[in-house]
Amino acid sequence: MEGRIIEVKGNKLYIEHYNPFEGRPTIVFLHDSLGSVQLWRDFPARLSETTQCNILAYDRLGYGKSTPMPTHERPVNYMELEAHVLNELLLEIDPDIEDVILFGHSDGGTIALIMAAVYPEWVRAVICEAGHIFVEDVTLKGIYDAWEAYKTTNLAERLQKYHGDKVEMLFKAWTETWTHDDYRNWNIEHFLKHITCPLLFIQGEADEYGTLDQVEKTVSQVSGSAEKYIIPETGHTPHKEAPELVLEKATEFISKFF
């Protein structure tokens, strides 16, 4: 796919939009807290092929090939704000896009849930992979472990391949936001009852950033149909650790409705 820069409220965001299937849904991919379009690798293209759906992936502000963040300091509701950015992005790209399916991983999964609740006119289905609806001790431990790896391994160097000189800023934005005292009570459960579209929640049983409570409390509170898919011996990134299983399940889920 060829990428391009699109301006949304004064910020330049990098997108890749593959749109060969006229009249078919568009799957929008929302990356995680250290992710980017490139880090999805070939997974979007493979899901497009198995579902005959169009795809849209983009780098959020401060990630990948998009404009750097102005500061690493984020408000507690930063993921709610990202849902509003996605709404503006969709309007900018093509206000006539129909049947949007959101596929979000980690932070992207949370943004997908909020987007489905706040902008139901866009969203026809959600695949939430390892998303969070509240903060857990295991989440904070995973973040502290990642911070230690950032200081003691070549993690920063590996991330620079995808984010360039934005790595330090985005890493601080992630770690300092989640570990700040005022973030401990962050919770988006109040949004869930407003989600009326079908939901698939995918999680690795050995997810190092969240327990299965994230899954159970999400699928039990949405208003639409919901199912869970728990993958044994898998961590926080099922689409990389068990790509064939995730591809098969996501294809099956989408095929039920489209």
Side-chain angles (χ1 to χ4, degrees):
M1 293 185 294
E2 287 191 9
R4 62 189 174 100
I5 296 291
I6 190 165
E7 190 164 312
V8 178
K9 291 197 168 181
N11 293 314
K12 294 179 179 178
L13 303 182
Y14 175 78
I15 72 165
E16 291 186 4
H17 189 198
Y18 179 63
N19 193 33
F21 302 114
E22 187 174 350
R24 293 290 293 158
T26 297
I27 306 173
V28 179
F29 288 87
L30 305 168
H31 63 73
D32 63 294
S33 54
L34 298 177
S36 69
V37 171
Q38 283 183 289
L39 277 163
W40 284 107
R41 299 192 172 92
D42 67 345
F43 185 83
R46 294 184 68 193
L47 189 57
S48 173
E49 183 179 349
T50 59
T51 60
Q52 298 290 284
C53 287
N54 305 301
I55 54 178
L56 169 65
Y58 71 102
D59 293 331
R60 295 194 296 277
L61 183 68
Y63 293 84
K65 300 176 184 178
S66 291
T67 303
M69 299 176 188
T71 173
H72 72 276
E73 295 180 352
R74 285 170 160 170
V76 171
N77 68 336
Y78 77 94
M79 286 189 275
E80 295 173 41
L81 301 178
E82 290 291 353
H84 299 316
V85 172
L86 176 54
N87 175 62
E88 295 292 333
L89 176 65
L90 290 172
L91 287 170
E92 192 68 34
I93 293 172
D94 184 354
D96 297 321
I97 287 178
E98 296 180 0
D99 296 332
V100 168
I101 301 167
L102 301 179
F103 191 119
H105 173 232
S106 193
D107 267 21
T110 302
I111 295 165
L113 293 173
I114 298 170
M115 181 74 180
V118 177
Y119 296 102
E121 65 274 17
W122 279 118
V123 186
R124 298 292 177 264
V126 173
I127 300 174
C128 176
E129 181 190 34
H132 294 88
I133 59 171
F134 50 82
V135 181
E136 297 180 286
D137 290 341
V138 67
T139 315
L140 299 179
K141 181 184 183 303
I143 292 170
Y144 285 124
D145 288 347
W147 179 244
E148 187 63 24
Y150 186 80
K151 293 187 293 184
T152 60
T153 71
N154 68 339
L155 176 58
E157 184 181 338
R158 299 201 315 269
L159 289 170
Q160 283 171 1
K161 177 180 177 182
Y162 304 99
H163 304 292
D165 59 5
K166 298 186 284 288
V167 172
E168 185 172 354
M169 179 83 78
L170 70 87
F171 204 89
K172 285 182 69 175
W174 173 47
T175 56
E176 293 191 13
T177 300
W178 277 79
T179 58
H180 198 276
D181 289 344
D182 68 356
Y183 203 75
R184 193 63 178 85
N185 294 321
W186 170 84
N187 188 303
I188 65 156
E189 288 180 86
H190 60 284
F191 282 111
L192 300 178
K193 64 185 178 182
H194 300 294
I195 298 176
T196 57
C197 66
L199 167 68
L200 169 63
F201 202 129
I202 299 172
Q203 181 135 330
E205 195 170 38
D207 191 326
E208 59 272 36
Y209 289 99
T211 72
L212 296 181
D213 278 353
Q214 303 284 350
V215 183
E216 300 295 344
K217 291 184 178 180
T218 300
V219 300
S220 66
Q221 293 184 71
V222 297
S223 296
S225 64
E227 60 181 294
K228 59 188 177 183
Y229 184 53
I230 311 302
I231 306 177
E233 300 178 2
T234 301
H236 190 59
T237 54
H239 70 276
K240 291 182 180 177
E241 298 170 57
E244 301 305 327
L245 294 178
V246 175
L247 189 66
E248 181 180 2
K249 186 63 179 180
T251 300
E252 173 195 300
F253 173 73
I254 291 169
S255 299
K256 286 181 186 177
F257 305 104
F258 302 97

